[in-house]
Amino acid sequence: MEDCFRSKQGLCFLLCLCVTDVLCVSIHYSVPEEKKSGSQVANVLKDLKLGIGDLSARRARLVSKISKQYFHLDTDSGALLINDKIDREALCGQSELCLLQTEIVLQNPLEFHTIEVKVEDVNDNAPRFSQNDFQLEIPENVPPNTRFPLETAKDVDLGENSIQNYTLSPNEHFRLGTESKDGRKAVDLILEKPLDREKQPYLELILMALDGGVPQRNGTIKIKINILDNNDNFPQFIQSEYKVRLKENSPWNTLVYKVEARDLDFGSNAQITYSFHRVPETISNLFHLNEMTGEITVMGEIDYEKETSYDMSIKATDGGGLSGHCSVLVEVEDINDNAPEVLLISLTDTIQEDSPLNTVVAIFSITDCDSGDNGKTMCSVQMNLPFALRSTKNNYYQLVIQSPLDRERVPEYNVTITARDQGSPRLTSTRIIHVQISDVNDNTPDFEKLLFEMSLQENNIPGLLIGSVHAVDLDMEKNGKVTYTLLPGSPAASYISINSETGNMYALRSLDYEQIKDFKVTVRATDGGIPPLSSDVVVRVVITDENDNAPFFLYPLQNSTSPCNELLPKMAEAGYLVTKVVAVDRDSG
Ligand SMILES: *[C@@H]1O[C@H](CO)[C@@H](O)[C@H](O)[C@H]1NC(C)=O
Ligand SMILES: *[C@@H]1O[C@H](CO)[C@@H](O)[C@H](O)[C@H]1NC(C)=O
Ligand SMILES: *[C@@H]1O[C@H](CO)[C@@H](O)[C@H](O)[C@H]1NC(C)=O
Ligand SMILES: CC(=O)N[C@H]1CO[C@H](CO)[C@@H](O)[C@@H]1O
């Protein structure tokens, strides 16, 4: 290019030459670049006002100031022909005007004709980018209308044949912005719609530069856009609420549930740790949350009776500090681990034997901490008792008298209350209540015999024990304590006395069989109840005889002073009744 006649410089040189030289004539032609060698640029004959043959006759030749000869002259025809393909861009670069100058020298007479050939631009160059692709990294959170400058293309052609326009492959995020800065076109990528790495982490666009020639040529470059992650995604639990069931008494380390959160971000922005979020100590002491895996395990005693459900909030935090939440409701399932309990509310521990039917002896309640069937209870007492259960509402029961009581027959009862629930396995519990029957004076003293007979030898010493009577009273204590008295009214009552406590009977004085053979008294047995009950019995005392009387002669009289004179006939024969001796003895037997 250095030896090419460049533009104005060359033109000036020519003009100067022509001014000094009268014979200087400048002829102008033009030829498109890239014409094949041998193509004709023009015929010079007419312009040189010469005829055919003149050129060869005057030994015309082309003289060029540059070493390379682009043209040659056909001296026979006068045609100016292209020697070699002309590349305008190589010759003149971006200059608007590209002139090739050559001179036709004629001899005899010597003449110079300057020929200027304007090389016209042909759209022979496509727009060109310096690289095939272009890397761009854009954070996903850049706001719309942010501009990213792009490399521009170059097209060495001129004017219309150089770059006229840029286009971008269709896409939903970017458009092109072109601006002319200092006469140069700048191309920017303008963000139209926000980016989302999680949807599309990578974009490839094609930027095309178009020139305005015919045919239109284009050049392309790939724009590779890596969208950089911002921690713009919150960790998100797969479900926002979890509901799980857990059997009570579940052992240590039982897996309750594994929660899982996802984060659409990348790298540490997507690394999730789990933690309890503001849960009370009762929960954090009972459950363990693995912060890496999200597994919730049992760490304490799960007791349905203490707590039927646990509501916990769990937080997932990513490496960038964003967090998401979920709630886990753990419902504890009841296990029949509680036996029913009999709770005695009131107990009358002694009950009068004459209490009327339906008298309440005890009130108790049955409780079972379990729920459902596990907590449904039934209650019973043993058969053959004078008591019955009567249930009132809310698991309250009354133990009432069902049939008459008799302390003298059964003085106490051990009532076994059995409560059983309906869980599986069935659990039962029993409670024994002791019911004491208290005495009522409902029994009269009862003599052992209907009639007592005693005997007493006459001439007894006063105060002698004759015998004793005994009456039984089945009642207790005072009610059963019998005292004995003699009923007055019979004269014989003065003969004897009775010990009121023991029932022993004593003779008050010496009795004479010969005077009294027997007598009867009535003894009354009275108990100590209020009012007292009593019964009477008759006691017959028989006096027995003793040989206390000498026989006594009734005849002859014993008090006569004179001996008994009996007149006896002389002639009395043997067997003759002299007299009759009569004696008596007051004793018997
Ligand atoms: C550039 O190309 C686009 C699309 O092909 C067209 O809409 C626009 O008018 C062109 N601009 C120029 C200056 O030619
Ligand atoms: C771009 O140029 C290629 C050949 O170089 C051609 O096949 C294509 O159709 C051109 N595209 C446009 C839009 O002009
Ligand atoms: C009741 O239980 C008590 C104490 O266990 C026992 O001493 C008593 O003999 C029992 N009574 C009956 C009637 O079973
Ligand atoms: C003399 C005398 O004393 N006579 C009496 C004897 O006993 C009888 C019967 O007891 C009496 O009647 C007599 O008077």
Side-chain angles (χ1 to χ4, degrees):
M1 237 205 260
E2 65 276 2
D3 52 3
C4 145
F5 288 155
R6 288 210 44 182
S7 59
K8 287 158 194 145
Q9 228 176 330
L11 199 61
C12 168
F13 172 78
L14 268 177
L15 285 175
C16 298
L17 195 80
C18 289
V19 166
T20 51
D21 195 326
V22 267
L23 297 172
C24 172
V25 178
S26 190
I27 307 166
H28 297 279
Y29 299 120
S30 71
V31 70
E33 58 172 332
E34 305 283 331
K35 279 262 184 190
K36 276 194 282 187
S37 123
S39 309
Q40 180 175 322
V41 180
N43 197 307
V44 298
L45 287 181
K46 203 172 146 204
D47 292 322
L48 296 181
K49 300 185 178 79
L50 295 171
I52 293 173
D54 286 352
L55 286 174
S56 49
R58 292 180 66 181
R59 282 192 269 159
R61 60 189 171 94
L62 286 181
V63 175
S64 174
K65 294 222 163 81
I66 55 172
S67 55
K68 178 151 184 175
Q69 277 294 348
Y70 283 100
F71 307 106
H72 79 271
L73 190 62
D74 180 359
T75 48
D76 293 334
S77 65
L80 186 66
L81 302 170
I82 290 174
N83 245 355
D84 210 356
K85 231 188 211 176
I86 306 170
D87 182 0
R88 197 200 72 93
E89 284 76 30
L91 207 56
C92 306
Q94 292 297 291
S95 305
E96 293 266 329
L97 191 60
C98 189
L99 291 174
L100 277 177
Q101 199 174 42
T102 187
E103 281 169 59
I104 299 177
V105 181
L106 298 170
Q107 293 174 4
N108 298 325
L110 186 65
E111 273 180 45
F112 291 94
H113 294 280
T114 301
I115 295 175
E116 282 182 347
V117 179
K118 182 181 169 197
V119 181
E120 290 171 340
D121 186 38
V122 160
N123 192 18
D124 57 345
N125 287 288
R128 256 212 141 92
F129 289 94
S130 68
Q131 293 157 300
N132 287 332
D133 49 44
F134 179 62
Q135 290 276 354
L136 203 55
E137 301 205 314
I138 302 181
E140 60 179 327
N141 64 339
V142 292
N145 289 323
T146 309
R147 298 175 90 103
F148 303 93
L150 295 177
E151 186 191 338
T152 50
K154 293 204 166 61
D155 189 326
V156 288
D157 294 324
L158 281 185
E160 285 286 302
N161 291 338
S162 79
I163 296 165
Q164 297 301 309
N165 204 353
Y166 287 94
T167 60
L168 191 62
S169 55
N171 74 94
E172 48 177 327
H173 292 285
F174 294 99
R175 67 180 167 89
L176 277 184
T178 51
E179 249 178 28
S180 288
K181 272 187 210 157
D182 314 327
R184 287 191 58 198
K185 227 174 201 174
V187 189
D188 290 333
L189 203 56
I190 302 175
L191 182 67
E192 268 194 321
K193 208 182 124 197
L195 297 166
D196 186 354
R197 192 201 63 81
E198 288 71 35
K199 267 198 208 145
Q200 200 173 13
Y202 175 77
L203 267 175
E204 203 171 271
L205 303 176
I206 291 173
L207 176 67
M208 182 180 279
L210 295 161
D211 65 22
V214 180
Q216 193 181 42
R217 292 180 186 271
N218 63 63
T220 57
I221 187 171
K222 262 186 207 160
I223 304 173
K224 295 179 172 173
I225 304 173
N226 272 325
I227 297 169
L228 301 182
D229 186 43
N230 267 309
N231 192 19
D232 54 351
N233 283 283
F234 290 81
Q236 208 165 21
F237 283 93
I238 292 167
Q239 279 169 256
S240 64
E241 282 180 6
Y242 298 90
K243 209 171 178 184
V244 296
R245 295 177 76 78
L246 176 65
K247 281 200 160 62
E248 71 169 318
N249 303 338
S250 284
W252 211 81
N253 247 345
T254 304
L255 178 66
V256 180
Y257 201 76
K258 183 176 191 290
V259 292
E260 191 183 348
R262 300 216 171 123
D263 192 317
L264 296 173
D265 291 324
F266 188 73
S268 76
N269 287 341
Q271 233 161 44
I272 293 174
T273 53
Y274 300 93
S275 59
F276 283 127
H277 181 60
R278 293 201 197 135
V279 297
E281 270 195 3
T282 48
I283 290 180
S284 58
N285 288 341
L286 217 50
F287 297 98
H288 176 253
L289 175 62
N290 184 316
E291 62 169 24
M292 301 314 292
T293 63
E295 287 173 336
I296 306 167
T297 47
V298 173
M299 206 173 63
E301 192 197 348
I302 306 293
D303 186 356
Y304 180 87
E305 285 69 39
K306 266 194 210 147
E307 200 78 62
T308 59
S309 68
Y310 297 94
D311 195 356
M312 55 187 100
S313 172
I314 291 177
K315 185 161 94 170
T317 312
D318 68 20
L322 295 182
S323 57
H325 295 87
C326 76
S327 69
V328 178
L329 180 67
V330 178
E331 288 180 331
V332 181
E333 273 180 52
D334 188 36
I335 294 260
N336 194 19
D337 58 346
N338 286 282
E341 216 177 315
V342 180
L343 194 71
L344 211 51
I345 288 164
S346 82
L347 171 66
T348 319
D349 43 29
T350 52
I351 233 178
Q352 291 213 349
E353 55 181 324
D354 63 347
S355 298
L357 295 187
N358 293 324
T359 301
V360 175
V361 178
I363 300 174
F364 56 90
S365 71
I366 309 284
T367 54
D368 189 319
C369 295
D370 293 319
S371 67
D373 275 352
N374 294 338
K376 271 196 196 125
T377 55
M378 294 191 325
C379 179
S380 61
V381 291
Q382 70 264 48
M383 309 285 273
N384 309 324
L385 283 183
F387 305 109
L389 276 181
R390 194 186 287 158
S391 84
T392 63
K393 55 187 174 185
N394 298 342
N395 283 339
Y396 279 87
Y397 292 88
Q398 291 179 336
L399 187 69
V400 297
I401 298 175
Q402 193 185 27
S403 55
L405 302 174
D406 184 4
R407 189 203 64 81
E408 286 72 34
R409 213 163 47 80
V410 187
E412 61 174 11
Y413 293 92
N414 286 339
V415 181
T416 306
I417 299 166
T418 305
R420 58 167 55 85
D421 64 26
Q422 308 193 7
S424 94
R426 290 199 163 192
L427 297 178
T428 60
S429 66
T430 57
R431 169 133 193 188
I432 297 173
I433 58 176
H434 189 74
V435 180
Q436 189 88 39
I437 311 300
S438 71
D439 188 47
V440 162
N441 192 20
D442 56 352
N443 285 284
T444 48
D446 199 4
F447 284 100
E448 287 161 342
K449 301 176 194 164
L450 292 174
L451 175 74
F452 286 88
E453 275 202 339
M454 298 171 191
S455 62
L456 173 65
Q457 219 168 25
E458 62 175 332
N459 302 327
N460 59 296
I461 49 163
L464 181 72
L465 174 68
I466 305 169
S468 80
V469 291
H470 192 239
V472 174
D473 189 318
L474 294 175
D475 291 324
M476 271 176 77
E477 291 169 3
K478 270 188 171 173
N479 293 339
K481 171 133 186 169
V482 179
T483 53
Y484 304 95
T485 48
L486 281 175
L487 284 190
S490 124
S494 58
Y495 299 156
I496 54 173
S497 75
I498 188 163
N499 182 318
S500 66
E501 305 254 319
T502 59
N504 288 346
M505 300 179 77
Y506 302 93
L508 279 183
R509 51 176 156 144
S510 181
L511 289 171
D512 184 1
Y513 172 80
E514 284 72 25
Q515 278 181 9
I516 184 163
K517 299 268 187 305
D518 66 354
F519 59 88
K520 286 179 181 169
V521 288
T522 306
V523 174
R524 172 163 289 180
T526 311
D527 64 24
I530 302 169
L533 298 176
S534 62
S535 60
D536 299 345
V537 78
V538 172
V539 179
R540 177 166 174 254
V541 180
V542 179
I543 317 293
T544 54
D545 186 33
E546 191 180 54
N547 197 19
D548 58 343
N549 289 287
F552 179 73
F553 285 99
L554 291 177
Y555 187 82
L557 290 175
Q558 297 296 303
N559 58 354
S560 59
T561 45
S562 60
C564 179
N565 293 322
E566 283 298 329
L567 296 175
L568 192 67
K570 256 192 218 167
M571 297 301 289
E573 292 170 23
Y576 176 82
L577 178 67
V578 178
T579 188
K580 218 176 185 172
V581 176
V582 179
V584 289
D585 191 324
R586 282 191 296 175
D587 296 320
S588 66

